[in-house]
């Protein structure tokens, strides 16, 4: 009550701020403290022993309640970054704009964040939002209820105390999760204007958790979609990567299309969803990615983007041939790769390293057609061979490469020295020229003349 009074006097209360949270005991939420990592529990214990409030917050609480395994455990506290820093020997402050503390605990690093306050209704007059209302700075410390109010969805604003095992819930997040609803805290239009990435988060989290987006939060997305063009590219890229590697990429992408969130905003998605020619290939790539994530295997962004943009490269290569009236040369193939990457890098902030990986994977494709002794062994030695080979399998699965070729490589990869030697005999007769003609009509990769 006193805190509420003070914040009212200071003019810091918001209409979205719930006055009193529900305190949900363990027998009602069912979350057990040993589901929280030891490192996270130790961090919270230490902070509480030092007299601070500290909770597990955000995605981890939400995921555990939904029966999923959290990616990591984040802690929210009323201690300032300096106070957190003083509580742990192995800790350091990171971030300039809004400082957070990384606490080292055994092999784990726990991210500890001080409760954030809202930017206030007067944020605009302090130059903290851009003309479209997007919040540029968000760096005020606040109370727990303010911290809850500035989070995006009710299911993301849950605070779990592993010591007394209750959940502090300001916005009915536990009930929403039980009812399988993704509900925005506050007025959805305002919240999307503050940060348009929340539209993408809505789609991703709904797909990941199997929730339906509350109509009030869903309706404005279509008309506000353009605001995404206003978000810094690096942030958009991070969010896209999260979405595509969420393990639910197929569902996310079709939901993006349903919400009208794909066109003109994300160049990569434009490519994926508007070019039916590559659709089967892209869908296979996304399904494969989802399967890898579910099996706990790593997903490389280079491989992912290489597959999403593969047909763009082929189309570009075709266009270049027609434009120049020349044959399907490797030089034109490389030019097509460069041009596709250039356009995407400009718009989607694909890093140079990822672009390098993509080109390596693409450039290996024609070389799989050449199975004469020296070349086959040479290819096997390439550092990116495995990625290139996985890509070949994807192309074979999509029906654009003769399965005989991919089977041959699978056998070659797993054969012993003796059998490998037998396999390459008789492969030398393949002439690149003959194959090239056949392959071009099937819209597949060109053949390099030399290694
Ligand atoms: P995941 O980790 O599964 O991607 P998450 O919800 O944990 O999902 P993070 O980016 O780790 O996503 O964010 C942690 C928490 O920070 C969220 O649960 C939410 O409370 C808050 N948050 C993140 N992004 C935003 C945002 N754009 N607007 C408001 N709150 C946000
Ligand atoms: Mg998270």
């Amino acid at each position: 009550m006193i805190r509420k009074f003070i914040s009212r006097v200071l003019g810091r209360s918001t209409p979205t701020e719930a006055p009193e949270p529900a305190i949900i005991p363990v027998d009602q939420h069912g979350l057990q403290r040993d589901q929280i990592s030891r490192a996270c529990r130790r961090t919270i214990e230490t902070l509480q022993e030092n007299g601070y409030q500290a909770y597990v917050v955000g995605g981890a609480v939400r995921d555990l309640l939904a029966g999923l395994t959290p990616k990591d455990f984040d802690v929210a506290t009323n201690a300032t970054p300096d106070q957190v820093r003083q509580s742990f020997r192995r800790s350091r402050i990171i971030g300039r704009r809004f400082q957070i503390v990384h606490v080292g605990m055994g092999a784990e690093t726990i991210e500890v964040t001080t409760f954030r306050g809202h930017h206030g209704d007067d944020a605009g007059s302090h130059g903290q939002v851009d003309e479209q209302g997007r919040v540029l700075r968000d760096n005020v410390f606040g109370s727990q209820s303010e911290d809850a109010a500035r989070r995006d969805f009710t299911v993301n604003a849950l605070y779990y105390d592993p010591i007394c095992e209750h959940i502090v819930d300001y916005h009915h997040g536990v009930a929403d999760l039980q009812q399988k609803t993704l509900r925005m805290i506050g007025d959805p239009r305002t919240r999307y204007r503050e940060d348009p990435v929340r539209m993408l988060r809505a789609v991703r989290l709904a797909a990941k958790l199997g929730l339906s987006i509350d109509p009030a939060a869903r309706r404005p997305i279509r008309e506000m979609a353009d605001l995404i063009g206003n978000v810094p590219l690096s942030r958009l890229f991070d969010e896209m990567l999260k979405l595509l590697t969420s393990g639910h990429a197929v569902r996310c992408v079709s939901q993006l299309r349903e919400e009208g969130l794909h066109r003109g905003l994300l160049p990569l998605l434009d490519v994926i969803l508007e070019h039916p020619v590559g659709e089967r290939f892209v869908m296979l790539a996304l399904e494969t990615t989802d399967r890898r994530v579910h099996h706990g295997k790593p997903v490389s962004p280079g491989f992912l983007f290489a597959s999403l943009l593969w047909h763009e490269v082929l189309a570009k290569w075709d266009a270049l041939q027609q434009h120049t009236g020349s044959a399907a040369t490797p030089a034109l193939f490389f030019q097509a790769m460069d041009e596709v990457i250039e356009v995407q890098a400009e718009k989607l902030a694909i890093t140079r390293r990822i672009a390098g990986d993509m080109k390596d994977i693409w450039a290996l494709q024609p070389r799989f057609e050449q199975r004469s002794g020296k070349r086959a062994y040479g290819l096997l030695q390439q550092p990116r061979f495995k990625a290139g080979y996985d890509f070949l399998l994807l192309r074979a699965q999509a029906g654009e490469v003769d399965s005989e070729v991919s089977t041959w490589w699978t056998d070659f990869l797993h054969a012993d020295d003796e059998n490998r030697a037998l396999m390459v005999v008789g492969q030398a007769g393949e002439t690149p020229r003959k194959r090239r003609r056949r392959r071009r009509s099937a819209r597949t990769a060109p053949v390099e003349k030399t290694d």
Side-chain angles (χ1 to χ4, degrees):
M1 279 316 275
I2 291 171
R3 203 173 55 205
K4 224 171 83 187
F5 175 73
I6 290 172
S7 66
R8 192 155 300 148
V9 168
L10 294 174
R12 291 172 66 188
S13 76
T14 62
T16 53
E17 197 177 312
E20 294 299 333
I23 306 293
I24 303 175
V26 61
D27 59 345
Q28 279 173 38
H29 61 68
L31 214 151
Q32 302 295 321
R33 66 163 69 94
D34 59 9
Q35 292 177 277
I36 307 298
S37 78
R38 276 178 68 86
C40 179
R41 272 182 283 156
R42 280 288 309 141
T43 305
I44 289 173
E45 260 165 31
T46 305
L47 285 168
Q48 291 191 1
E49 279 161 16
N50 289 355
Y52 304 112
Q53 297 171 20
Y55 300 85
V56 191
V57 72
V61 184
R62 173 201 70 206
D63 288 355
L64 284 171
L65 287 174
L68 305 174
T69 309
K71 277 200 310 240
D72 42 36
F73 294 93
D74 296 331
V75 170
T77 179
N78 64 348
T80 64
D82 280 330
Q83 289 167 332
V84 177
R85 173 76 192 80
Q86 280 154 23
S87 304
F88 301 93
R89 210 166 35 82
R90 281 177 55 207
S91 64
R92 62 192 181 99
I93 296 181
I94 59 160
R96 258 179 306 157
R97 219 183 48 166
F98 190 85
Q99 296 184 327
I100 54 179
V101 187
H102 275 176
V103 174
M105 216 20 111
E108 265 182 79
T109 300
I110 302 295
E111 206 168 279
V112 181
T113 310
T114 304
F115 293 146
R116 254 186 254 193
H118 63 82
H119 29 86
D121 302 332
D122 57 349
S125 61
H126 283 81
Q128 297 192 349
V129 296
D130 69 8
E131 316 86 73
Q132 275 80 25
R134 191 169 66 86
V135 172
L136 300 175
R137 273 192 286 141
D138 189 10
N139 53 2
V140 185
F141 297 142
S143 65
Q144 185 183 30
S145 70
E146 288 173 328
D147 187 82
R150 59 156 289 285
R151 292 176 184 272
D152 45 8
F153 302 101
T154 62
V155 298
N156 282 346
L158 299 170
Y159 300 78
Y160 175 64
D161 182 334
I163 315 302
C164 59
E165 293 196 294
H166 61 225
I167 287 178
V168 183
D169 181 358
Y170 288 87
H171 299 280
H172 311 289
V174 172
D176 283 342
L177 202 52
Q178 280 160 356
Q179 284 153 23
K180 300 215 159 290
T181 303
L182 190 71
R183 194 187 312 277
M184 182 70 87
I185 297 172
D187 169 47
R189 285 170 202 277
T190 310
R191 305 303 310 277
Y192 290 144
R193 224 172 284 124
E194 287 171 357
D195 180 8
V197 167
R198 288 174 184 148
M199 294 187 255
L200 295 174
R201 285 177 56 84
V203 168
R204 175 169 64 87
L205 293 175
K208 168 176 169 170
L209 298 158
L211 306 181
S212 54
I213 306 173
D214 169 47
R218 191 178 168 191
R219 238 177 280 120
I221 292 183
R222 190 168 290 277
E223 67 193 75
M224 298 183 84
D226 283 350
L227 290 181
I228 288 191
N230 200 25
V231 174
L233 291 177
S234 57
R235 181 127 190 267
L236 210 51
F237 181 75
D238 287 348
E239 189 54 34
M240 279 299 299
L241 201 55
K242 268 193 170 188
L243 191 142
L244 293 169
T245 58
S246 64
H248 305 280
V250 171
R251 218 185 312 164
C252 282
V253 165
S254 59
Q255 180 97 24
L256 282 176
R257 197 192 314 222
E258 236 167 77
E259 305 303 339
L261 260 181
H262 63 289
R263 201 172 297 117
L265 315 167
L266 306 172
L268 185 71
L269 286 180
D270 259 1
V271 169
I272 303 171
L273 301 172
E274 309 267 310
H275 283 214
V277 60
E279 176 149 350
R280 183 171 149 64
F281 188 82
V282 162
M283 277 308 166
L284 268 175
L286 294 180
E287 280 164 21
T288 309
T289 308
D290 284 350
R291 227 173 299 124
R292 283 187 74 88
V293 174
H294 287 291
H295 289 132
K297 292 187 192 164
V299 174
S300 107
F303 187 90
L304 183 62
F305 289 117
S307 43
L308 298 181
L309 293 168
W310 172 237
H311 276 263
E312 191 68 357
V313 173
L314 295 180
K316 183 63 143 191
W317 187 53
D318 258 356
L320 284 173
Q321 286 164 54
Q322 274 167 25
H323 184 69
T324 57
S326 54
T329 59
L332 278 189
F333 180 55
F334 276 82
Q335 190 181 336
M337 293 196 317
D338 283 339
E339 286 186 16
V340 167
I341 286 191
E342 205 176 300
V343 169
Q344 294 298 325
E346 218 171 81
K347 293 186 186 162
L348 203 63
I350 289 178
T351 61
R352 213 180 291 201
R353 198 178 61 80
I354 294 177
D357 287 349
M358 292 162 68
K359 269 163 80 167
D360 286 348
I361 291 168
W362 288 336
L364 286 174
Q365 296 313 303
R367 299 177 57 178
F368 283 106
E369 306 279 350
Q370 305 171 339
R371 289 170 279 165
S372 70
K374 225 177 70 199
R375 287 181 171 164
Y377 285 110
L379 197 51
L380 217 47
Q381 300 307 318
Q382 289 293 317
R384 309 287 299 152
F385 172 82
K386 189 59 177 48
Y389 164 76
D390 284 343
F391 199 83
L392 176 77
L393 294 187
L394 200 61
R395 291 173 59 218
Q397 216 184 330
E400 64 175 59
V401 170
D402 218 325
S403 64
E404 183 261 330
V405 177
S406 58
T407 310
W408 189 91
W409 277 101
T410 303
D411 293 344
F412 190 63
L413 183 61
H414 297 111
D416 55 21
D417 286 350
E418 203 177 320
N419 279 314
R420 276 191 186 157
L422 286 173
M423 283 180 76
V424 294
V425 174
Q427 293 293 341
E430 288 273 31
T431 69
R433 190 166 296 283
K434 251 192 268 161
R435 290 206 137 255
R436 186 188 307 153
R437 214 169 292 128
R438 213 186 319 142
R439 215 168 303 110
R440 217 168 86 56
S441 58
R443 285 184 56 82
T444 56
V447 164
E448 274 181 296
K449 283 189 191 109
T450 53
D451 272 336

